[in-house]
Amino acid sequence: MSKMEEIQKVCLNRGIIFPTAEIYSTISGFFDYGPVGTLLKRKFIDYWREFFVKSEDNILEMEGSIILPERVFEASGHLKSFVDPITQCLKCKSIQRADDLIQEKTGKFVEGKPVKELTEIINNEKIKCPRCGGPLSEVKLFNLMLKTEISPVGGQTAYLRPETAQNIFTSFQRLFRAVRSKLPFGVAQVGRSFRNEISPRHFIIRVREFNQVEIEMFYDSQKPECKKFDEIKDKKIVIFTREAQKKNLKPVKMRAEELFKKRIVPSEWLVYFMTKEFEFYKSLGIPEDCLRFREMLKEEIPHYSAGNYDLEINFEFGWKETVGNAIRTDHDLKNHMKNSGQNMTVMTDDKRKIIPWVAEPSFGIDRTIAGILLHCFVEDKKRGWNWFKFPAKITPYPVAVFPLVNKDEIPEKAREIYETLKKDFDVLYDDSGSIGRRYARADEVGTIFAVTIDYDSLDNDTCTVRHRDTTKQVRVKMKDLAPTIHKLINGEVEFEKVGNLIN
Ligand code: GAP
């Protein structure tokens, strides 16, 4: 069993993430998040907001509708260009994504190639249906948007948005006024997106309903400076340029400033976000050597973009885009202006009428969660159970409380501590089975601090705190517990220094 399969098993058994409506075992590409998964996702979003929104003074948030009228996607170009190539088996009628199939069978990377070329490759390489071995049809393009009809009598076509970005563009003028009409400014949105993926796969990595968090950073293309660029200019990130990909070279580590000056990424704003992303993903427990930015090849670039730089995570099956960073130019605003007849221009301080440009980092939340699950999963033969080394900021339940035994006044004391800690943290209470089993259950969902109330607790108001990563234990005063855990989570103190070390 691969590590990801093992993780999927844990997710099912512990109710972390599981297929939607699985009792009917019908549609693939949809997943529900259970209690631990929901907390993990929510904390990831909070941490993301702290890192990318609250730390800035010119990024605000919005929450838009998921269903948008057809005209939005006519203007954005999704109706025409948001397509994937498909081929159908002429015998069993199953449908495959043609570029994936070709890559699987031949190792050739063919994303973005014209359908005629894909059909030729299928014929020349004699690629057959992977299900039944039957012959395959010509390759056609398939639009990935999910369509719906509005009103009881229908007639008004709408789509479930394939990206959160379009709400931001269609409401641009209102948002611009909300920031007192000053460029540059960014709008962030956390929300659901939908794509009718032809072959959902790899657990929550390619699904049909997913969560994104995007920032659209609007700026004047004649004044494209990012005022905080100096703060990050010396930081290094790993970049896999087009040239390196073509020449079969390895990705290299490069300073942010160099990346911009060499025009590898010709936008200060995008380099700024990419540099922050690199730090952010490392802080989520993903090792640096499993992260890289890949400059998309010309033929892969989405229809709206003048340059894309994907933050990729190394999964067991290979590298996978997890954040799409795009220079969207004025594509969206310009086309919405043309199609709606509404003004999308703004006046600059020096009285120029412009349509702002956009730098966009677009994060896939579910894909990020998959990366965190994979890279934080510790297969621990010594301990006898596997566990998640989630970073403190995002761990679903940072604390667990155990009464050593269920008699005398110990359960009351333990519940008292539990109720107090619950005011500040998400806390697990576990009073069943041996302490060893309870440690195992807490470790399995990444709980960092396990607090045990024992007979000494009744005498001297202290308790034992065990650390997930080292299994070391300290004896701490119960009245200090909540502030101590706060400090530990924020990395302000070392675990071994917060009380008397027991082992
Ligand atoms: N607004 C730009 C945009 O949506 P994208 O590269 O198509 O760009 C951004 O998507 C991110 O959304 C991806 O990097 C990925 O993490 C996530 N994503 C896209 N399609 C997905 C899918 N079918 N399942 C899960 N995540 C997906």
Side-chain angles (χ1 to χ4, degrees):
M1 195 185 277
S2 74
K3 198 169 171 186
M4 207 63 198
E5 281 165 347
E6 183 67 38
I7 291 167
Q8 247 176 289
K9 207 174 95 192
V10 175
C11 284
L12 281 176
N13 291 343
R14 299 296 309 258
I16 300 173
I17 302 169
F18 38 86
T20 298
E22 62 183 319
I23 54 166
Y24 294 104
S25 63
T26 45
I27 40 172
S28 56
F30 295 90
F31 283 88
D32 288 356
Y33 283 67
V36 170
T38 303
L39 279 178
L40 181 63
K41 192 165 85 175
R42 191 163 295 157
K43 288 185 180 186
F44 165 77
I45 293 169
D46 288 347
Y47 180 43
W48 185 92
R49 290 186 64 243
E50 203 180 292
F51 208 95
F52 287 97
V53 178
K54 288 196 204 159
S55 59
E56 307 291 333
D57 53 18
N58 59 352
I59 298 184
L60 62 139
E61 287 181 274
M62 74 161 287
E63 192 179 320
S65 268
I66 282 166
I67 295 179
L68 293 167
E70 185 167 43
R71 290 188 62 197
V72 171
F73 301 110
E74 263 167 28
S76 69
H78 283 84
L79 217 48
K80 187 164 152 248
S81 307
F82 200 59
V83 287
D84 273 343
I86 53 167
T87 174
Q88 187 170 29
C89 173
L90 300 174
K91 205 164 130 202
C92 75
K93 307 290 174 217
S94 71
I95 290 177
Q96 313 289 330
R97 197 169 140 171
D99 49 356
D100 278 359
L101 186 62
I102 292 172
Q103 192 170 357
E104 260 168 40
K105 299 287 174 196
T106 67
K108 284 183 191 156
F109 183 72
V110 290
E111 204 171 312
K113 295 253 185 267
V115 287
K116 209 167 143 223
E117 209 173 304
L118 298 179
T119 307
E120 272 169 25
I121 298 176
I122 287 179
N123 292 338
N124 294 344
E125 304 273 346
K126 301 194 173 31
I127 298 173
K128 300 284 178 221
C129 168
R131 285 235 184 116
C132 74
L136 295 170
S137 73
E138 258 181 33
V139 177
K140 289 194 186 125
L141 291 176
F142 169 76
N143 194 296
L144 294 183
M145 284 197 295
L146 281 147
K147 202 176 190 174
T148 186
E149 291 271 317
I150 311 291
S151 101
V153 289
Q156 232 195 320
T157 303
Y159 292 88
L160 276 68
R161 63 183 181 192
E163 57 170 0
T164 58
Q166 290 308 320
N167 303 82
I168 301 176
F169 298 129
T170 51
S171 305
F172 169 73
Q173 284 292 10
R174 291 198 188 282
L175 296 165
F176 183 58
R177 285 198 291 274
V179 291
R180 297 198 194 87
S181 309
K182 275 244 172 297
L183 287 179
F185 81 103
V187 184
Q189 186 177 193
V190 182
R192 301 260 166 163
S193 293
F194 300 80
R195 296 183 190 179
N196 201 358
E197 296 285 356
I198 296 146
S199 42
R201 57 174 68 182
H202 299 307
F203 188 33
I204 49 172
I205 289 174
R206 193 197 284 167
V207 282
R208 290 178 165 136
E209 174 173 348
F210 55 99
N211 301 273
Q212 282 185 318
V213 44
E214 302 191 293
I215 300 175
E216 309 304 319
M217 193 75 210
F218 297 98
Y219 61 93
D220 178 352
S221 62
Q222 288 191 29
K223 290 185 178 171
E225 301 80 22
C226 161
K227 76 170 189 237
K228 286 169 87 176
F229 195 75
D230 266 1
E231 288 177 19
I232 57 97
K233 72 178 187 350
D234 292 321
K235 295 200 170 150
K236 288 184 174 174
I237 64 173
V238 175
I239 180 90
F240 196 20
T241 60
R242 272 184 201 161
E243 206 189 337
Q245 290 168 62
K246 290 211 166 121
K247 292 184 180 161
N248 264 337
L249 301 173
K250 289 207 158 57
V252 291
K253 226 171 161 187
M254 203 181 274
R255 278 176 60 243
E257 190 176 36
E258 199 183 342
L259 209 57
F260 174 68
K261 286 217 162 127
K262 287 189 169 161
R263 311 304 283 174
I264 295 169
V265 184
S267 158
E268 274 196 8
W269 276 109
L270 214 56
V271 176
Y272 176 70
F273 287 125
M274 286 163 65
T275 311
K276 285 189 76 168
E277 285 162 28
F278 203 62
E279 292 299 309
F280 179 71
Y281 274 81
K282 281 195 284 181
S283 75
L284 291 172
I286 302 175
E288 188 172 303
D289 60 359
C290 291
L291 290 170
R292 71 178 188 195
F293 288 94
R294 190 175 69 83
E295 183 182 5
M296 270 193 175
L297 304 175
K298 262 210 176 85
E299 55 272 27
E300 296 174 272
I301 289 183
H303 62 277
Y304 51 72
S305 174
N308 258 71
Y309 312 85
D310 289 347
L311 174 73
E312 297 185 329
I313 294 182
N314 199 0
F315 288 93
E316 282 172 322
F317 59 87
W319 293 88
K320 189 77 189 158
E321 173 201 344
T322 304
V323 186
N325 293 289
I327 302 175
R328 279 186 95 126
T329 67
D330 57 358
H331 167 91
D332 297 271
L333 291 183
K334 197 166 74 191
N335 285 308
H336 283 305
M337 180 156 140
K338 201 164 109 201
N339 282 41
S340 68
Q342 301 290 319
N343 179 29
M344 292 287 177
T345 61
V346 302
M347 198 61 92
T348 62
D349 290 344
D350 52 1
K351 305 280 175 266
R352 281 174 297 118
K353 206 167 158 193
I354 61 155
I355 296 180
W357 272 43
V358 172
E360 177 198 63
S362 168
F363 299 72
I365 297 178
D366 310 80
R367 215 168 266 184
T368 302
I369 301 271
I372 296 169
L373 289 172
L374 177 67
H375 289 286
C376 293
F377 192 61
V378 182
E379 291 171 299
D380 198 332
K381 292 246 157 38
K382 200 165 150 224
R383 225 177 264 199
W385 56 83
N386 300 334
W387 50 283
F388 286 109
K389 197 176 182 172
F390 295 133
K393 288 257 186 219
I394 58 160
T395 205
Y397 293 99
V399 197
V401 175
F402 307 150
L404 181 69
V405 288
N406 281 313
K407 55 184 182 184
D408 302 323
E409 275 122 62
I410 290 182
E412 284 76 22
K413 194 78 193 164
R415 286 215 77 91
E416 198 185 299
I417 287 292
Y418 169 65
E419 293 299 335
T420 309
L421 291 177
K422 260 201 335 180
K423 291 180 190 143
D424 289 30
F425 310 101
D426 290 294
V427 191
L428 281 174
Y429 186 85
D430 193 349
D431 60 1
S432 63
S434 69
I435 281 287
R437 267 314 301 148
R438 287 184 251 173
Y439 282 150
R441 280 198 293 268
D443 284 353
E444 275 165 15
V445 294
T447 296
I448 306 176
F449 308 109
V451 176
T452 303
I453 308 301
D454 53 21
Y455 282 103
D456 283 348
S457 312
L458 303 181
D459 288 343
N460 60 13
D461 266 340
T462 62
C463 56
T464 304
V465 184
R466 168 193 177 267
H467 198 292
R468 174 196 68 191
D469 299 358
T470 58
T471 73
K472 286 198 168 146
Q473 298 185 16
V474 287
R475 197 82 197 170
V476 174
K477 285 206 173 75
M478 279 194 264
K479 70 172 177 42
D480 297 337
L481 206 50
T484 301
I485 292 171
H486 268 300
K487 283 187 195 150
L488 285 166
I489 288 179
N490 292 330
E492 292 163 17
V493 278
E494 278 176 47
F495 180 74
E496 291 171 27
K497 298 204 174 127
V498 298
N500 292 333
L501 198 62
I502 300 174
N503 60 352

